[in-house]
Amino acid sequence: MANGSMVAVLSDIHIGNDENTCWYQRSVHEPYLLDALNWIADNASMLQEVILLGDLVDTWTYAPSVTPPTMAEIVAANPNVLGSSGALANVVKAVPKVTYLLGNHDGTLTSADIAALQGSVGQIEMVEPVHVLTGSTGARTVFSHGHYWTMFNAPDPNSPWNTLPVGHFVTRAFSYMMAKQLAGTNKTVADFPNMGYPNGIDILAFIEHLLPNFSPDIPSLLLNYVSGVSGMSDSEPITLPDGKTKTTIAEARTTYANLFTEWETKDGTQNAGRAALADSSGVWLAWFAQRLAIQQGADLCVMGHTHTPVGGLGVSSITYYNSGFECASGPDMSKSPPALFTFTLVDLDQPAAEIFSVTPGSEPDIATVPALPSAVIQPPSAADMSCFVRILNKSAQPLTLTGTPAASHGYWVVPPPQTIPAGGRGDGWLQDYVGAKGSAGTFSYQGAGDFSVSCPTGVVQNTVSGAGGNFIARSAGGAWSFKGNFPAWGHPLQVIFTVGG
């Protein structure tokens, strides 16, 4: 990995004010975080940027009666990390750029909150939820927290509470339950197993509970489930992060009643189902990570949010990494296999990523850890009969799409782009529907003619045509073919067309 081409990514730290319901507890997690930040500052010469990939701080993990803290209060409670002489300030001084994009647990931070953080640690640049960096080789990496593609935690434009999603109320109910359990003790949530996960409760257990009596009003069923598990009544007042507004689970149930239908309308029933499952584990987010990367013309996508490290995709035209999280409970870090404190290094030029774990001590151990790849199609045993296409425009003129890409079988998740500039590239993804037909599609570019690909099931062979035969292809992640050839069998199918040159 080349000096100066590297980016360090820290995601899902969840620093709070040390309330006993906060997942991040200074006594447990600060040694890990200090060692990670000190290592980053010591290795600043190889870094061009540090990305705080969402949920740096937390305004959700508080009992309903508690007013969530402001950034100034969180900074004051964590001087060794967030103070003016703290570890993050040292990173800001050492690295050319530190950027911060918001997650779900810190998504309602105000400009005053950001100013308080910057006033303490120095210049941190706020960036868009989808942050794209290009290496010197032209390779592109897209970074995003990941919650925008999860039904229960994506910012909700219809929410009357500053886009707060239904997941906020799930977490507040979890905190209500834990506050009751911790009352009169000197313990925190970090003393208990299975803590520090995106929703507080096991979303997969809820989905399993839901399946026998499925209803499109999933948010109401979720809130009913959460109320039952936590013992929190529908009328319990919930103080929201602005410190002024109060609401209840009953009001939230009404507010989010049409959430599943809204996701169906904008992204189809199948993807709405994926989004409902995407909070349960990192594997379900992989489909959306692949789509985002292809939409952005990127080779690598790095996310957080699900608190599950992921290192790669089974067979894909892109690579996906999930950075994991940095607030596992003490018992979870001691179990086998342990829940690790992790961060990610990305080489923009390759592009490639490695996940590192931290073991604190007088001589802390910062070591790479193997992170399992994820399958885009779930369950992994299901066949992926997709076609991935890439068009390299080596001509002197831009390519302009003629008409709309068609699919005789399957559908274009990401159609080839409308325009591919001279010297540029365009990517597309044609996916099959569930069933026995696979995928087949066509598209045309002015000046380059017609293109077609197919990846059928059964006894029919793959097909590829276009660019005057100037293409290479492979299937099932195998070796690339010679120019003008393609594998007759295997899936998914990847094709790189070259126009001109």
Side-chain angles (χ1 to χ4, degrees):
M1 292 186 175
N3 283 354
S5 69
M6 304 290 294
V7 172
V9 178
L10 298 107
S11 177
D12 297 272
I13 306 173
H14 290 276
I15 305 174
N17 64 356
D18 236 27
E19 187 83 18
N20 61 6
T21 55
C22 292
W23 294 333
Y24 178 96
Q25 292 290 318
R26 282 186 61 186
S27 60
V28 176
H29 302 105
E30 188 173 271
Y32 293 83
L33 183 55
L34 291 177
D35 285 342
L37 292 172
N38 291 339
W39 186 90
I40 289 170
D42 290 342
N43 290 276
S45 62
M46 69 178 182
L47 298 172
Q48 74 173 50
E49 188 170 331
V50 172
I51 300 177
L52 305 172
L53 197 66
D55 289 356
L56 167 67
V57 299
D58 199 314
T59 63
W60 285 24
T61 51
Y62 304 90
S65 60
V66 174
T67 300
T70 64
M71 179 67 81
E73 292 168 333
I74 293 173
V75 168
N78 297 273
N80 294 336
V81 175
L82 300 177
S84 57
S85 299
L88 184 55
N90 292 336
V91 168
V92 171
K93 292 173 186 174
V95 178
K97 180 187 287 189
V98 177
T99 54
Y100 180 14
L101 57 87
L102 299 178
N104 49 313
H105 281 239
D106 55 9
T108 55
L109 292 180
T110 65
S111 57
D113 289 320
I114 302 304
L117 178 64
Q118 293 171 330
S120 183
V121 303
Q123 184 57 42
I124 290 179
E125 180 182 339
M126 301 302 297
V127 294
E128 294 299 315
V130 174
H131 184 50
V132 180
L133 296 177
T134 303
S136 62
T137 60
R140 288 163 61 89
T141 301
V142 57
F143 302 85
S144 195
H145 181 67
H147 65 302
Y148 272 76
W149 298 275
T150 66
M151 183 174 295
F152 305 135
N153 284 298
D156 191 329
N158 298 319
S159 168
W161 305 299
N162 193 18
T163 73
L164 277 176
V166 67
H168 177 83
F169 300 94
V170 172
T171 303
R172 299 301 292 276
F174 157 80
S175 299
Y176 172 91
M177 175 181 70
M178 293 309 301
K180 294 287 187 184
Q181 188 171 340
L182 295 167
T185 75
N186 60 358
K187 293 184 175 183
T188 74
V189 293
D191 293 310
F192 294 83
N194 302 316
M195 296 289 155
Y197 289 97
N199 303 281
I201 68 161
D202 186 342
I203 288 293
L204 191 57
F206 160 68
I207 296 294
E208 291 171 349
H209 166 82
L210 167 69
L211 288 176
N213 301 293
F214 179 79
S215 164
D217 189 4
I218 291 179
S220 292
L221 297 175
L222 174 61
L223 292 172
N224 290 343
Y225 176 80
V226 167
S227 295
V229 170
S230 67
M232 178 175 154
S233 76
D234 284 5
S235 59
E236 179 75 27
I238 304 170
T239 304
L240 298 184
D242 65 5
K244 302 172 184 178
T245 310
K246 292 183 185 292
T247 188
T248 63
I249 287 287
E251 289 185 44
R253 186 180 290 109
T254 300
T255 296
Y256 303 108
N258 297 318
L259 187 63
F260 188 87
T261 302
E262 291 164 3
W263 278 73
E264 273 190 309
T265 299
K266 72 178 182 180
D267 212 6
T269 301
Q270 189 171 0
N271 290 340
R274 285 191 177 102
L277 287 163
D279 282 309
S280 64
S281 73
V283 298
W284 289 98
L285 198 57
W287 189 93
F288 296 101
Q290 178 171 273
R291 183 176 69 174
L292 177 64
I294 294 173
Q295 287 171 333
Q296 295 292 327
D299 306 281
L300 171 64
C301 179
V302 180
M303 289 185 172
H305 179 61
T306 59
H307 296 199
T308 307
V310 173
L313 290 176
V315 179
S316 176
S317 62
I318 68 102
T319 303
Y320 162 54
Y321 270 69
N322 194 296
S323 195
F325 71 135
E326 297 165 349
C327 59
S329 69
D332 290 345
M333 287 191 284
S334 300
K335 68 185 181 183
S336 181
L340 300 173
F341 185 106
T342 55
F343 67 95
T344 301
L345 283 184
V346 176
D347 187 332
L348 297 176
D349 290 345
Q350 293 299 322
E354 288 184 303
I355 296 178
F356 287 73
S357 68
V358 180
T359 303
S362 57
E363 294 185 6
D365 183 16
I366 311 289
T368 58
V369 294
L372 294 176
S374 175
V376 173
I377 304 301
Q378 298 294 331
S381 59
D384 182 3
M385 311 304 294
S386 295
C387 294
F388 300 103
V389 298
R390 175 166 294 173
I391 306 97
L392 304 179
N393 183 8
K394 301 294 186 181
S395 73
Q397 301 296 325
L399 300 178
T400 302
L401 201 64
T402 303
T404 301
S408 54
H409 300 305
Y411 69 107
W412 286 100
V413 177
V414 182
Q418 183 65 33
T419 303
I420 304 175
R425 87 177 199 209
D427 293 342
W429 174 15
L430 174 67
Q431 186 177 16
D432 58 310
Y433 289 116
V434 175
K437 292 186 176 181
S439 62
T442 60
F443 56 95
S444 300
Y445 278 97
Q446 185 176 355
D450 299 332
F451 300 77
S452 70
V453 291
S454 72
C455 186
T457 60
V459 297
V460 182
Q461 296 183 4
N462 300 332
T463 63
V464 180
S465 68
N470 192 3
F471 60 79
I472 58 175
R474 67 176 179 174
S475 64
W480 289 98
S481 67
F482 292 106
K483 176 182 173 182
N485 293 285
F486 57 89
W489 310 101
H491 58 268
L493 179 68
Q494 294 174 253
V495 185
I496 299 176
F497 296 98
T498 300
V499 176

